[in-house]
C-alpha cells in the first residue's frame, strides 16, 4: 500500500507515528497525499513549536511541504513531553484547514454580511473606539482576550489599553479558568505561579489530585506520573473527585466528595495534622505567617448571579492570625463532622492526613478547574497550599502544590504579561503607584497615564456591555457566546447601539453576535511565544502563510492604535517587531525573580523555566541550590513576599456551602467540563474529522441507578432543566465518566448544545471566577 492509499484508509497517523494532515475535505487530504507520495518524512522541512491546545506546553515538530503543514510529531528534544503527544496533538495540522476558515474582514449588513478591506475595518474600529472615548470616557471601551493569545498579542493589548486608551477594561478568558489560582498564589506568596516544575512527576512519591481528571485533561503529564509508578511501585495516586473518571482507574485511593465540600475536607485533613502533631514546626517558625479574612457568608455572598444583580465588588480585609488561632479554628473540623458535610468516610480523611504528614515521602498536590471554578476557589487554593506549608513539603523536588492550566499561554500571557483587569506585567498591579510608574517608564509615556482603578472583570465586563455602559468591545481568540455562564444574560441583537468586534479563525456563536469579524492567523501561520504551566517560555517561528487575508492578532491591535495616533507605543520596524517587542516586555521581569530568557535564548532552546539568570533556568523557585535569588545554603526563602516579611502566608479559611444545592424541584447536581477529544468550546477540534467522529455531540452522563429510576438507557434523550434554562441531550450510562447517584455531567464543547445556558453565574469572592462545577438541575425523559 502506498502512502496515498494508507492516508485514505487511516486518515490519521502514518506507520511511523507521525500525524498526517486530515480534515473533512477528503479531496484536500488526497491532494496532499499525492504530493507526498513516494517521499519520506525526512524530506519535509521540520521546525519546533509548542502545541496549540492546553497549558501542558508539549513540544511538537511541525512538518511543512510546499507551504502547508502536512505532519506533526512529538518533539523528543522537548523536556515537557519527550516525544509523546495526546490524541489532539497528533491531529494538530487539521485544525488549520477546515473548509470554513475566515479569510476576509466582514461587516454586518442588515441580516447579512459584506466583505470589506483591512483598511476599512481598521479605520472603523479606530473610529468606534475614539467616538466612545470622546463621548463617555475610558470606561466605555473594553477588550476581552485569551489565554490562547501569544505573549505578543497580550503585550500589545495591555500596552494599547493602559498606555494609550488609559483604560483597564482589559480581561482575558483566563478569568474563567485560572484566576483563582492567581489569587491563591498572590495571597500566599505575593507572586504568581507554581514553585515546582514537571520534574516533580518523577521525583514525587504521592500525587493527590484535587478534582483533576489528568488522564483526559493533561494526559501527557499523567503519563509521566504513571511511568514513575510503573518503575517505583510505592508511588501512590489519590483521586479526589465528584465522579469517577479515567483517572480513577489508575488511582490507589478514590475519595468521592459531595460537590462543593472540598473546603471542609481540606480543613478536616488539617485538623488531623494538628491533632497528630504532624506539622513541621521548625519550617513554620522560619518561613510562615498566618492570615485570615472576611468569613461572614452574608457579607461575602456568591457574586452577581441572577437576572437582577449587575456587579460584584467584594473586597477581602486580611488580618494577622497565628498558628494557635488556626488550631482553635480547626477544632470542630473533626473527621466525623467533615464526613457529614463531604460524604467522605472518616477513615479516608485520616488516610489523607497520613499521606500529607509522612515526612519521608514527597507529596505533590495537583488541581485545575475543579478547584478554580468555585465560589470559594481562592480559599480552596489557599487550603491546598496550607497543607504543604504546614508540613514543610514545598520548594523541593517532588514536594509542591502545583496548579495546572487549561490554555497554552494562560500563564505566559494572561498571568505573566498581565492582561487581567488589575494587573501589569511581572506581578505588578495597577493599584500600586510604583508599579504604574515603572510601566510608564518602560513605555516612555507621561506619568499618570496608567489609571489606578482596576477595570471590569469578565462577568462585569459583559454585563456592562449589555446594559450599554461599555459601548465598544473587541474579542480576540476566544468564544464567550459559548463559554460565559448563564448565557441568557448576554444575548444581543446586532442593532442594540453597541459595537462588537471579533477576531477568530472560524465562524462561531461569538462571530455571529459580532458587528465586525476579522480573520486571524493561527499557530504557525505567525511567529509566537507561549508560557506553560511550569513557567516554561517557548518560542516558535512563522512557518506558513495564513489563508486569505488573515493577520495575527497583535498586528491588528497595533494597526488600530496607529490609526488613533498611538503609534509611538509600537515604535518597531513594521516587518521586524517581534524580538524588540519581547525584549521591551522582558525588561519588566529582570532583577525581580521573574526574569525571562532572552529572545535569542528562546530561539535556540525548547523553552526555559523562569527565572533565567546568567543563562540558566530555575527548576524550583524559592529553593536553596536551585533559585539564584535564594542566598540561604538550605531550605526555602519566599523572597517575593515583601509584605509578609519574606515569608509565605498560611490562610485560615472556613467551609461555606455552594451557592445552589439540589432541592425538591431540581434534585440533581450538574457539573460541566472537558473531555479528551475536544478542547474548550470545540471551535478547532470539532473541525478535525477524527476528533469529531470520536465525540460528535455533547451528552449527559447519568448514574446507572438514576437512569433506571428515570426509565432511561444510553442513547435515550433526556431534558435538563435549571432555574436558568432547558437543554435536551443524549444520555450516557456507564460511559467513560461515572457520576454518583444524584449527579450528572455535561461537556461544554458543543456549540449546538449550549450547556452554559443552564449554568450558574455565581463567582469566587476574590478572583471573580465563576463556578461551572455545581448547580441544581432537574433530569427528565425527553
Amino acid at each position: 500500500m502506498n502512502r496515498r492509499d494508507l492516508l485514505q484508509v487511516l486518515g490519521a497517523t502514518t506507520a511511523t507515528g507521525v500525524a498526517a494532515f486530515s480534515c473533512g475535505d477528503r479531496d484536500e487530504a488526497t491532494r496532499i497525499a499525492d504530493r507526498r507520495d513516494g517521499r519520506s518524512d525526512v524530506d519535509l522541512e521540520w521546525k519546533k513549536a509548542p502545541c496549540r491546545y492546553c497549558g501542558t506546553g508539549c513540544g511538537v515538530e511541525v512538518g511543512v511541504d510546499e507551504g502547508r503543514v502536512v505532519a506533526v510529531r512529538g518533539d523528543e528534544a522537548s523536556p515537557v513531553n519527550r516525544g509523546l503527544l495526546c490524541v489532539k496533538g497528533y491531529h494538530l495540522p487539521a485544525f488549520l484547514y477546515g473548509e470554513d476558515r475566515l479569510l476576509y474582514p466582514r461587516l454586518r449588513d442588515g441580516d447579512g454580511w459584506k466583505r470589506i478591506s483591512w483598511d476599512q475595518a481598521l479605520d472603523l474600529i479606530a473610529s468606534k473606539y475614539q467616538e466612545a472615548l470622546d463621548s463617555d470616557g475610558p470606561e466605555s471601551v473594553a477588550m476581552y482576550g485569551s489565554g490562547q493569545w501569544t505573549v505578543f498579542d497580550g503585550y500589545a493589548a495591555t500596552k494599547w489599553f493602559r498606555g494609550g486608551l488609559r483604560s483597564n477594561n482589559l480581561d482575558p478568558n483566563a478569568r474563567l479558568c485560572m484566576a483563582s489560582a492567581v489569587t491563591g498564589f498572590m495571597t500566599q506568596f505575593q507572586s504568581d505561579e507554581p514553585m515546582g516544575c514537571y520534574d516533580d512527576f518523577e521525583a514525587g512519591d504521592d500525587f493527590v489530585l484535587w478534582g483533576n481528571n489528568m488522564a483526559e485533561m493533561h494526559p501527557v503529564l499523567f503519563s509521566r506520573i504513571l511511568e514513575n509508578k510503573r518503575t517505583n511501585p510505592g508511588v501512590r495516586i489519590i483521586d479526589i473527585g465528584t465522579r469517577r473518571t479515567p483517572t480513577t482507574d489508575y488511582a490507589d485511593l478514590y475519595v468521592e466528595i459531595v460537590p462543593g465540600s472540598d473546603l471542609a475536607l481540606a480543613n478536616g485533613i488539617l485538623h488531623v495534622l494538628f491533632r497528630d502533631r504532624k506539622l513541621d514546626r521548625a519550617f513554620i517558625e522560619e518561613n510562615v505567617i498566618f492570615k485570615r479574612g472576611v468569613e461572614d457568608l452574608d457579607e461575602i455572598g456568591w457574586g452577581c448571579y441572577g437576572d437582577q444583580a449587575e456587579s460584584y465588588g467584594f473586597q477581602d480585609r486580611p488580618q494577622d492570625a497565628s498558628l494557635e488561632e488556626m488550631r482553635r479554628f480547626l477544632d470542630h473540623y473533626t473527621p466525623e463532622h467533615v464526613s457529614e458535610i463531604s460524604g467522605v468516610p472518616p477513615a479516608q480523611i485520616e488516610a489523607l492526613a497520613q499521606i500529607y504528614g509522612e515526612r519521608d515521602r514527597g507529596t505533590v498536590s495537583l488541581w485545575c478547574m475543579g478547584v478554580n471554578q468555585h465560589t470559594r476557589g481562592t480559599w480552596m487554593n489557599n487550603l491546598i497550599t496550607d497543607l504543604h506549608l504546614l508540613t514543610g513539603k514545598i520548594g523541593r523536588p517532588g514536594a509542591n502544590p502545583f496548579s495546572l492550566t487549561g490554555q497554552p499561554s494562560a500563564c505566559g500571557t494572561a498571568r505573566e504579561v498581565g492582561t487581567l483587569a488589575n494587573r501589569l506585567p511581572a506581578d505588578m498591579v495597577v493599584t500600586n503607584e510604583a508599579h504604574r510608574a515603572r510601566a510608564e517608564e518602560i513605555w516612555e509615556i507621561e506619568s499618570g497615564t496608567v489609571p489606578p482603578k482596576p477595570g471590569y472583570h469578565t462577568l462585569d465586563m459583559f454585563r456592562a456591555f449589555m446594559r450599554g455602559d461599555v459601548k465598544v468591545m473587541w474579542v480576540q481568540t476566544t468564544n464567550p457566546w459559548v463559554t460565559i455562564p448563564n448565557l441568557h444574560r448576554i444575548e444581543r441583537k446586532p442593532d442594540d447601539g453597541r459595537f462588537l468586534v471579533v477576531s477568530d479563525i472560524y465562524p462561531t456563536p461569538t462571530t455571529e453576535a459580532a458587528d465586525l469579524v476579522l480573520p486571524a492567523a493561527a499557530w504557525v501561520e505567525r511567529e509566537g511565544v507561549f508560557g506553560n504551566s511550569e513557567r516554561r517560555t517557548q518560542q516558535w517561528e512563522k512557518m506558513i502563510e495564513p489563508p486569505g487575508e488573515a493577520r495575527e492578532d497583535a498586528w491588528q491591535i497595533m494597526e488600530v492604535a496607529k490609526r488613533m495616533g498611538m503609534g509611538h507605543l509600537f515604535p518597531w520596524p513594521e516587518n521586524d517587531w517581534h524580538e524588540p517587542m519581547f525584549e521591551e516586555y522582558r525588561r519588566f521581569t529582570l532583577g525581580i525573580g521573574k526574569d525571562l530568557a532572552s529572545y535569542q535564548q528562546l530561539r535556540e532552546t525548547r523553552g526555559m523555566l523562569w527565572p533565567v539568570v546568567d543563562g540558566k533556568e530555575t527548576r524550583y523557585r524559592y529553593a536553596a541550590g536551585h533559585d539564584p535569588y535564594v542566598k540561604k545554603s538550605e531550605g526555602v526563602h519566599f523572597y517575593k513576599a515583601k509584605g509578609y516579611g519574606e515569608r509565605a502566608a498560611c490562610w485560615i479559611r472556613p467551609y461555606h456551602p455552594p451557592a445552589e444545592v439540589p432541592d425538591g424541584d431540581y434534585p440533581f447536581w450538574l457539573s460541566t467540563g472537558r473531555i479528551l477529544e475536544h478542547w474548550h468550546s470545540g471551535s478547532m477540534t470539532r473541525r478535525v474529522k477524527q476528533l469529531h467522529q470520536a465525540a460528535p455531540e455533547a451528552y449527559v452522563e447519568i448514574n446507572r441507578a438514576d437512569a433506571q429510576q428515570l426509565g432511561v438507557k444510553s442513547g435515550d434523550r433526556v431534558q435538563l432543566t435549571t432555574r436558568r434554562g432547558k437543554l435536551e441531550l443524549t444520555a450516557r450510562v456507564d460511559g467513560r465518566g461515572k457520576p454518583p447517584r444524584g449527579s450528572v455531567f455535561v461537556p461544554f464543547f458543543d456549540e449546538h448544545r449550549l450547556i452554559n445556558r443552564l449554568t450558574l453565574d455565581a463567582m469566587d469572592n476574590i478572583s471573580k471566577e465563576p463556578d461551572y462545577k455545581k448547580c441544581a438541575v432537574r433530569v427528565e425523559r425527553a
Side-chain angles (χ1 to χ4, degrees):
M1 183 180 292
N2 64 26
R3 185 182 191 89
R4 177 179 181 276
D5 294 335
L6 178 65
L7 290 177
Q8 286 185 316
V9 172
L10 296 183
T13 57
T14 70
T16 59
V18 180
F21 165 82
S22 56
C23 70
D25 185 346
R26 178 177 295 275
D27 292 337
E28 178 64 20
T30 301
R31 285 195 295 273
I32 289 179
D34 284 338
R35 196 160 64 233
R36 295 191 58 199
D37 208 15
R39 300 175 61 194
S40 68
D41 295 321
V42 297
D43 296 325
L44 300 179
E45 180 183 10
W46 294 93
K47 292 184 178 180
K48 70 174 177 77
C51 179
R52 174 59 181 80
Y53 291 124
C54 79
T56 298
C58 289
V60 299
E61 291 185 286
V62 182
V64 176
D65 183 38
E66 298 183 14
R68 295 181 70 87
V69 176
V70 297
V72 295
R73 61 191 180 198
D75 187 352
E76 295 181 4
S78 169
V80 172
N81 54 309
R82 304 166 183 178
L84 182 66
L85 296 175
C86 77
V87 64
K88 293 185 291 294
Y90 280 120
H91 289 87
L92 265 170
F95 93 83
L96 296 172
Y97 299 113
E99 296 174 348
D100 55 345
R101 273 293 295 266
L102 297 174
L103 302 177
Y104 311 102
R106 59 177 189 171
L107 179 66
R108 186 172 294 280
D109 183 17
D111 293 332
W113 300 88
K114 65 179 180 180
R115 177 178 168 180
I116 62 175
S117 70
W118 268 109
D119 281 335
Q120 290 173 306
L122 297 168
D123 287 345
L124 179 60
I125 298 170
S127 68
K128 291 292 185 179
Y129 270 95
Q130 192 62 59
E131 289 169 10
L133 289 175
D134 293 343
S135 62
D136 296 281
E139 291 198 5
S140 69
V141 296
M143 189 168 200
Y144 186 57
S146 173
Q148 301 159 60
W149 259 349
T150 68
V151 164
F152 304 116
D153 305 330
Y155 189 71
T158 197
K159 192 175 184 183
W160 175 45
F161 249 72
R162 305 186 207 281
L165 302 178
R166 299 184 179 224
S167 173
N168 287 322
N169 286 343
L170 170 70
D171 214 42
N173 66 356
R175 177 74 66 179
L176 309 181
C177 61
M178 38 50 62
S180 296
V182 175
T183 50
F185 282 116
M186 291 298 294
T187 53
Q188 296 193 274
F189 305 100
Q190 297 192 323
S191 182
D192 188 22
E193 298 195 45
M195 56 290 302
C197 66
Y198 293 162
D199 291 351
D200 282 334
F201 301 141
E202 285 76 41
D205 300 302
D206 296 316
F207 298 89
V208 184
L209 280 56
W210 289 85
N212 186 10
N213 180 14
M214 280 187 77
E216 288 195 88
M217 303 304 102
H218 297 88
V220 171
L221 299 182
F222 193 57
S223 73
R224 290 179 61 167
I225 296 175
L226 294 182
E227 178 62 11
N228 183 8
K229 185 175 177 63
R230 185 186 70 82
T231 56
N232 299 286
V235 167
R236 297 179 295 195
I237 299 173
I238 297 86
D239 178 26
I240 303 173
T242 58
R243 83 192 216 279
R244 291 179 177 270
T245 68
T247 301
T248 313
D249 297 338
Y250 298 96
D252 297 275
L253 174 64
Y254 171 59
V255 180
E256 188 168 282
I257 64 171
V258 173
S261 66
D262 45 3
L263 290 159
L265 176 60
N267 278 321
I269 298 169
L270 288 166
H271 170 97
V272 176
L273 290 171
F274 271 83
R275 183 200 69 192
D276 293 350
R277 300 181 179 179
K278 294 293 186 180
L279 308 185
D280 188 334
R281 289 185 176 267
F283 181 91
I284 294 168
E285 184 175 347
E286 182 178 357
N287 299 295
V288 180
I289 65 167
F290 291 84
K291 293 281 185 180
R292 68 190 307 174
V294 177
E295 297 171 7
D296 181 68
L297 178 56
D298 290 335
E299 179 178 349
I300 297 170
W302 305 116
C304 48
Y305 75 98
D307 292 336
Q308 303 305 314
E310 282 294 328
S311 63
Y312 183 54
F314 170 82
Q315 295 293 320
D316 203 11
R317 298 188 298 276
Q319 59 185 0
D320 293 336
S322 67
L323 180 66
E324 174 58 22
E325 186 175 349
M326 188 172 201
R327 184 196 65 76
R328 293 195 304 270
F329 166 83
L330 291 168
D331 275 348
H332 77 284
Y333 285 99
T334 64
E336 292 73 22
H337 176 58
V338 169
S339 181
E340 293 176 1
I341 298 171
S342 66
V344 177
Q348 287 193 335
I349 299 171
E350 299 275 357
L352 287 166
Q354 182 180 1
I355 288 168
Y356 277 103
E358 289 186 77
R359 294 196 180 187
D360 60 341
R361 292 178 65 86
T363 304
V364 180
S365 296
L366 294 149
W367 68 95
C368 198
M369 298 306 102
V371 165
N372 293 337
Q373 292 175 337
H374 193 314
T375 51
R376 297 295 181 266
T378 303
W379 290 11
M380 194 58 216
N381 272 264
N382 290 157
L383 291 181
I384 293 173
T385 300
D386 284 355
L387 291 167
H388 288 264
L389 288 171
L390 294 177
T391 57
K393 292 186 173 185
I394 192 168
R396 55 188 171 91
N400 284 297
F402 204 128
S403 70
L404 298 172
T405 49
Q407 298 187 86
S409 204
C411 288
T413 303
R415 297 163 79 162
E416 293 164 23
V417 171
T419 61
L420 290 146
N422 67 320
R423 285 172 72 88
L424 291 163
D427 283 342
M428 299 182 188
V429 291
V430 300
T431 52
N432 185 300
E433 183 177 1
H435 294 176
R436 297 196 304 274
R438 177 60 175 159
E440 290 159 352
E441 175 191 2
I442 291 174
W443 291 342
E444 298 182 0
I445 56 178
E446 179 184 354
S447 177
T449 298
V450 178
K453 179 184 176 181
Y456 290 118
H457 60 78
T458 293
L459 291 193
D460 275 8
M461 179 186 291
F462 277 87
R463 288 164 187 174
F465 181 70
M466 292 308 297
R467 65 177 178 262
D469 292 345
V470 167
K471 308 295 184 184
V472 183
M473 182 163 66
W474 191 349
V475 175
Q476 286 191 337
T477 327
T478 188
N479 194 6
W481 266 261
V482 172
T483 58
I484 293 288
N486 193 6
L487 277 168
H488 298 286
R489 294 198 61 176
I490 64 167
E491 291 176 349
R492 73 178 295 248
K493 297 179 180 179
D495 58 354
D496 60 9
R498 299 176 286 281
F499 195 75
L500 177 65
V501 184
V502 176
S503 300
D504 212 324
I505 64 174
Y506 286 112
T508 67
T510 301
T511 63
E512 287 305 305
D515 300 289
L516 175 65
V517 176
L518 305 178
W523 194 37
V524 296
E525 296 168 352
R526 51 163 304 174
E527 188 171 341
V529 173
F530 282 160
N532 77 350
S533 296
E534 64 164 350
R535 298 174 283 108
R536 183 176 299 278
T537 313
Q538 302 185 79
Q539 183 270 352
W540 73 92
E541 301 290 343
K542 179 179 179 180
M543 301 179 200
I544 59 173
E545 291 297 324
E549 295 178 3
R551 300 299 298 263
E552 66 181 288
D553 296 290
W555 177 88
Q556 298 175 25
I557 294 168
M558 291 189 292
E559 287 299 311
V560 170
K562 291 173 183 177
R563 283 163 168 78
M564 297 183 70
M566 302 172 188
H568 61 283
L569 296 173
F570 307 103
W572 309 295
E574 185 171 340
N575 296 315
D576 188 23
W577 52 266
H578 291 89
E579 183 168 358
M581 177 189 280
F582 183 87
E583 291 299 335
E584 178 185 281
Y585 158 56
R586 180 172 172 250
R587 289 177 58 194
F588 282 92
T589 73
L590 299 179
I592 60 169
K594 305 282 288 191
D595 312 58
L596 294 176
S598 71
Y599 204 67
Q600 188 57 38
Q601 286 174 311
L602 296 179
R603 278 197 174 110
E604 296 169 354
T605 64
R606 262 52 175 186
M608 299 187 75
L609 303 173
W610 59 260
V612 178
V613 178
D614 296 331
K616 297 179 181 179
E617 65 180 3
T618 300
R619 292 167 60 230
Y620 293 95
R621 295 177 78 192
Y622 312 128
H626 292 277
D627 189 334
Y629 283 89
V630 175
K631 305 308 179 185
K632 297 165 65 173
S633 59
E634 60 182 11
V636 299
H637 179 200
F638 300 114
Y639 56 86
K640 292 290 290 180
K642 305 296 185 186
Y644 298 157
E646 300 190 358
R647 297 183 177 201
C650 183
W651 284 83
I652 297 171
R653 300 296 197 187
Y655 163 72
H656 279 181
E660 186 174 278
V661 299
D663 57 22
D665 293 327
Y666 303 94
F668 286 80
W669 288 104
L670 168 63
S671 180
T672 68
R674 291 186 292 158
I675 60 174
L676 174 66
E677 294 85 356
H678 287 293
W679 192 74
H680 281 211
S681 66
S683 59
M684 292 183 289
T685 51
R686 286 188 306 102
R687 287 169 170 87
V688 178
K689 176 183 173 183
Q690 290 73 23
L691 300 178
H692 177 68
Q693 288 177 335
E697 64 179 55
Y699 50 84
V700 55
E701 295 175 355
I702 304 178
N703 177 271
R704 173 165 288 280
D706 287 332
Q708 290 175 342
Q709 186 172 345
L710 292 166
V712 170
K713 62 182 183 300
S714 282
D716 288 349
R717 303 291 287 178
V718 298
Q719 179 174 279
L720 305 184
T721 306
T722 72
R723 290 176 173 87
R724 291 153 294 281
K726 299 179 180 181
L727 183 64
E728 188 175 306
L729 294 164
T730 300
R732 182 169 295 185
V733 181
D734 288 340
R736 192 185 302 162
K738 298 177 178 62
R741 291 212 67 175
S743 291
V744 296
F745 172 86
V746 179
F748 70 91
F749 69 85
D750 189 345
E751 68 180 41
H752 301 295
R753 297 162 184 84
L754 292 172
I755 190 59
N756 281 319
R757 291 185 180 275
L758 278 63
T759 49
L760 185 69
D761 47 356
M763 68 183 74
D764 178 72
N765 56 319
I766 298 173
S767 71
K768 310 304 189 289
E769 179 170 344
D771 189 334
Y772 294 87
K773 298 302 181 183
K774 42 197 173 291
C775 69
V777 64
R778 182 167 62 247
V779 184
E780 304 165 293
R781 284 183 60 93

